[in-house]
Amino acid sequence: MRPRDTGASRRFARWIPAIAAPIVVGAAVVLVPLQANAAVDLPDLTPKELLELASSSDVEAMSGTVEQTSELGLPDLSGLTGGMGGSASATPGAEGSAGGEGGDAASGAGIDELLSLITGDHTAKVYVDGSHARLQVLDRLGERDVYVAKGEGVWLWDSREQSATHVTVDQAALDELQAEAESHADEARAKLEAEVGTLPTPEEVLDQALARLDETTDVSVGTDGRVAGRDVYELVLVPRDDATLVGEVSVAIDADTGVALAASVTAAGAEKPAFSVAFTDVSFAAPDASVFAFTPPDGATVTEHEVPVPTVAEVEQWKADAESGPGAEAEGMPRPVVHGSGWSTVVELPAGAAGAAMLEGGASGDAGDSGTGAAEGFADASTLLDSITQRVEGGRIISTSLATVLITDDGRVFAGAVTPEHLLAVASSAG
């Protein structure tokens, strides 16, 4: 067995087809990512052996095209843009405010973009070479790019808006944090070994993970097939949980390199994937260096953003806050609460502007208070909200094939890949 690779760039390269496109473009892929092929007869592997193949992949360079689509059962949401363009708290005419000149357009464009990511189909090109990476999302009227290079930060480019954002971090501070964190890790390792003996090997960790996974999930190796012209194994996960909407998760793993080339999620009781992502072509040769080079063109709007680097003490304080119970707050901001675990996990978001605004808009719309442009926007949003949600005791519920969202009357939001009945039960017990 090849040595286990723990490098960040290699993990990124290995899992980019399964996670990069959903993160950047919001949904996932070819309707049937794995094409069964009777001519493909790979050596039999157990689920453990297949996971070991994937985890030991040492690919550092690759490029290819990823296609995605989603069939979540959502209605046409294009009318939401106009309805949510305003803000009741914005000052009319204020520059940069949601209610000012240009604010409605910016807010509407942002929502329109979000809806496109949720409901539309997308094609992206992926390039990886060591610490360099690029994701190029191709739209009908332009493209969006993410460029990543160690020491140079991250560039986000939108050709339609002719805007670029440069995200950087103080490398010296980051190196200092990493060194201090590693020293703390060494101390923790020594203390743990003194208390419980030698730490488990990676293989023992994998065994333990599979044992825990087996409690909630049936893990198996499916049908051999082909993705992007390459022979692949199929890893199939089937939840053992009646509360989840997920029926099956399938991941196609390249038989030669161990790289994940496709992934799909099928709703319980459905025959076709609701969410999937896959390469349609792929190469493991190093991409030309020019694809990673980016310079904002003349006339582009450039925004510089430096990410602050916390100290180890601050990180430990955040961890302590997170472990101190559901009522803990950091800097006056209530944090999300997680209910349950595994496939039926439900996340509760505290009352905030988004949920409250939609519900207040619904109330004003029902009352017929058209008022100013903001009130009219809320009324329009209320009409659309009524068309895509179901009124339930204590709030409104939105159901898709893979997720359920509850917006309570007090502005809280509950969400999970669970049935409406389970979500309502969790919300009721949360008070």
Side-chain angles (χ1 to χ4, degrees):
M1 185 177 70
R2 284 172 288 183
R4 185 182 180 92
D5 181 1
T6 58
S9 64
R10 293 177 179 174
R11 289 197 300 271
F12 177 73
R14 184 164 63 249
W15 294 112
I16 199 169
I19 63 174
I23 290 174
V24 177
V25 296
V29 195
V30 175
L31 192 57
V32 183
L34 176 62
Q35 298 175 347
N37 191 321
V40 179
D41 186 14
L42 298 169
D44 292 342
L45 293 181
T46 65
K48 177 183 175 181
E49 290 171 335
L50 183 52
L51 288 171
E52 287 176 338
L53 170 64
S55 65
S56 64
S57 175
D58 57 2
V59 169
E60 288 193 350
M62 66 184 300
S63 61
T65 303
V66 176
E67 292 187 359
Q68 68 82 29
T69 189
S70 58
E71 299 291 340
L72 301 177
L74 287 169
D76 180 12
L77 304 180
S78 58
L80 184 60
T81 301
M84 295 300 291
S87 172
S89 61
T91 303
E95 182 178 354
S97 71
E101 182 178 353
D104 286 347
S107 177
I111 293 174
D112 186 58
E113 181 82 358
L114 176 61
L115 297 181
S116 170
L117 299 182
I118 294 173
T119 61
D121 297 344
H122 298 274
T123 299
K125 290 188 175 296
V126 174
Y127 306 90
V128 178
D129 188 3
S131 60
H132 291 76
R134 177 183 176 186
L135 182 68
Q136 179 185 27
V137 182
L138 305 175
D139 296 323
R140 286 177 297 177
L141 301 178
E143 68 178 65
R144 289 163 290 166
D145 292 81
V146 180
Y147 296 82
V148 181
K150 184 176 180 180
E152 300 178 13
V154 176
W155 278 102
L156 309 175
W157 166 248
D158 187 328
S159 67
R160 288 183 299 177
E161 300 294 330
Q162 287 291 292
S163 64
T165 301
H166 189 205
V167 182
T168 56
V169 63
D170 185 334
Q171 191 62 45
L174 187 61
D175 292 342
E176 182 179 347
L177 173 64
Q178 182 176 355
E180 189 173 355
E182 288 175 352
S183 68
H184 281 239
D186 291 340
E187 294 173 5
R189 175 185 291 271
K191 181 179 179 181
L192 188 60
E193 289 182 345
E195 294 177 351
V196 301
T198 304
L199 293 178
T201 65
E203 185 171 1
E204 290 171 335
V205 171
L206 179 60
D207 287 339
Q208 294 169 6
L210 282 173
R212 288 192 296 269
L213 185 63
D214 192 57
E215 296 174 1
T216 61
T217 310
D218 178 63
V219 185
S220 64
V221 178
T223 307
D224 299 341
R226 292 180 68 81
V227 171
R230 298 184 64 87
D231 293 349
V232 296
Y233 288 99
E234 181 186 27
L235 182 68
V236 181
L237 309 177
V238 177
R240 292 173 173 159
D241 190 337
D242 293 336
T244 184
L245 292 172
V246 177
E248 177 183 290
V249 176
S250 171
V251 182
I253 298 173
D254 187 78
D256 182 41
T257 66
V259 171
L261 295 181
S264 66
V265 184
T266 303
E271 295 182 357
K272 295 181 179 180
F275 178 89
S276 57
V277 60
F279 277 103
T280 57
D281 64 76
V282 66
S283 168
F284 295 104
D288 190 279
S290 62
V291 304
F292 301 111
F294 176 74
T295 301
D298 293 340
T301 301
V302 178
T303 302
E304 293 284 347
H305 179 71
E306 182 173 346
V307 178
V309 178
T311 64
V312 169
E314 289 173 331
V315 172
E316 291 178 344
Q317 183 60 50
W318 294 343
K319 181 179 179 182
D321 290 342
E323 295 175 346
S324 59
E329 298 182 1
E331 299 182 359
M333 295 296 292
R335 63 183 179 84
V337 179
V338 178
H339 302 277
S341 61
W343 297 99
S344 54
T345 298
V346 171
V347 177
E348 175 189 352
L349 304 178
M358 293 178 74
L359 292 168
E360 288 171 4
S364 66
D366 294 340
D369 180 15
S370 58
T372 63
E376 291 173 353
F378 282 138
D380 292 341
S382 173
T383 300
L384 182 61
L385 197 62
D386 286 338
S387 70
I388 65 173
T389 67
Q390 177 184 353
R391 181 71 192 182
V392 295
E393 183 177 355
R396 300 173 186 263
I397 200 164
I398 304 172
S399 298
T400 74
S401 58
L402 288 179
T404 306
V405 179
L406 170 68
I407 306 171
T408 65
D409 289 337
D410 61 7
R412 291 177 298 159
V413 177
F414 292 82
V418 297
T419 62
E421 295 77 13
H422 183 76
L423 193 70
L424 290 170
V426 171
S428 176
S429 63

